[in-house]
Amino acid sequence: MSQTNRPHGANWRDFAWLKQFMPRGLYGRAALILIVPIVSLQLVVSVVFIQRHFNRITVQMTDAVVAEVSLIVSQANASKTVDQALEAARRIATPLDTRVALPSDPVTTQRQLSDFTGTRVVSTLEQGLSDLIGVDLETNRALVTMAISTDHGILRVVLNRDRVSATNPHQLLVLMVVTGFLMTLIAYLFLRNQLRPIRRLARAAEAFGKGQVLPYRLAGATEVRAAGKAFLDMRSRIDRQIEQRTLMLSGVSHDLRTPLTRLRLGLSMLEDDARDDLQRDVDEMERLVDGFLGFAQADALEDAPEQVDPVEFVHHLAENAQRAGMNVTLGEVADLDERPLRRASLERALDNLLGNATRYGSRARLSLIQGRGDLRFVIEDDGPGIAVEDREEALKPFARLDKARNQNKGSGVGLGLSIASDIARGHGGHLRLGDSADLGGLKVELVLPL
Ligand SMILES: Nc1ncnc2c1ncn2[C@@H]1O[C@H](COP(=O)(O)OP(=O)(O)OP(=O)(O)O)[C@@H](O)[C@H]1O
Ligand SMILES: [Mg+2]
């Protein structure tokens, strides 16, 4: 039978709407898991207790009173005169702590709404005493006042309320609710201690995603500790790998410089037609080596985040670029407050992007935009842009697209975009390539979380 074909029975999807009412945080969910069973248990116990146990006790107690009153009434009826009837009734009633009066006024049946055993008392009395006229439980709540018709007129019987129903039945319920509440509170406090390590782990992992290393100490239950340990191992492994890559790249670049310098020296002493070509090759190699070194430093450049005013920062970048002879203008600049940013690395990333824009196009525009939950540095140019299918490739290290297009401007190493992308990720953000609607060239967005 196919699994999807299930016409009968509840599917979990049917309860999907419930999800929107559920708390999202771990605290809320844990509290719910804790409180729901306790409250349900209390409800069930209360209902069953009142329904069964409590009602049955009331009925049993009232039945005993019915027997006594029936005896009083039958003795009164057996008497000849009113006085003899009252005398006979008293003889039985007095030792039973019951007061009687004859003849007397009728009584109307009434009880308070909150008196939930009262219903049972009245119905049991009515059933057991066929000549009952009325029962008053309201006028004096500590007493039960009955009027019964006898052969000698209306007989009034008054007895204490605690003879027909247990007193203060709600005490147990109040006690239960109060202890339930106290227990929930205590459990919640314990639970909070258990949840704290999970939240700390989440914070440390989130910070690491943004390139910050928060101190993290293993704590909490075994499972949380295991997750924390795995996280710490992962963090140090990633750190180690970055360090190794940096060391290797800078080592190689550094070691290549010495033979290159020797080559250049040797070349300058050569008298040959091929000398200029060789010289150009050496220049190219030096530029590449410089590029590698720069790339390696992008990781090594672990500048600590500092408070940066993004608006001032953008103006500073544009001015610097203009002074370097680039045709850079400012577009929209959102009014954003100071925030912690790695100024040096960000400047390096954006310089690279501005360099690309003016190298592959003729003018560039720099904007600062506030998006939903992020801030974006946007650089647009009027160059040829990058085709959609080449964008992923262009972000990789040492990727140079379409040699022909940059011939006259000298070919790059292919690291600019990948450095910018690395830096964006180090901030917990990313680099996005698109088309500039206004200028017609490439649009690069460096997106950072707010
Ligand atoms: N603004 C742009 N317009 C068009 N093509 C671009 C633009 N920016 C980058 N590209 C393309 O993407 C490729 C990769 O760019 P990237 O900046 O990583 O390297 P590069 O500019 O070649 O060298 P460098 O390391 O000197 O920056 C470039 O070779 C170029 O073909
Ligand atoms: Mg470049």
Side-chain angles (χ1 to χ4, degrees), residues 45 52 65 105 116 128 158 165 198 227 242 260 285 288 299 303 320 329 336 364 367 370 401 405-406 441:
V45 170
R52 299 272 178 83
V65 168
D105 302 323
F116 51 86
V158 180
S165 60
I198 301 180
I242 292 177
L260 269 177
M285 282 171 81
L288 288 172
D299 292 324
D303 54 327
N320 265 7
T329 53
L336 286 162
S367 332
Q370 169 162 28
L401 311 168
R405 76 162 79 161
N406 8 327

Side-chain angles (χ1 to χ4, degrees), residues 176-222:
M176 204 164 68
V177 168
V178 170
T179 30
F181 180 76
L182 274 179
M183 284 302 167
T184 312
L185 199 75
I186 292 169
Y188 186 73
L189 290 181
F190 275 102
L191 198 73
R192 213 176 51 171
N193 282 340
Q194 294 305 307
L195 295 186
R196 203 173 290 145
I198 301 180
R199 302 228 306 177
R200 280 188 36 242
L201 177 59
R203 266 205 300 275
E206 200 183 322
F208 187 57
K210 292 182 182 169
Q212 299 157 10
V213 176
L214 282 190
Y216 178 75
R217 191 173 42 81
L218 291 184
T222 330

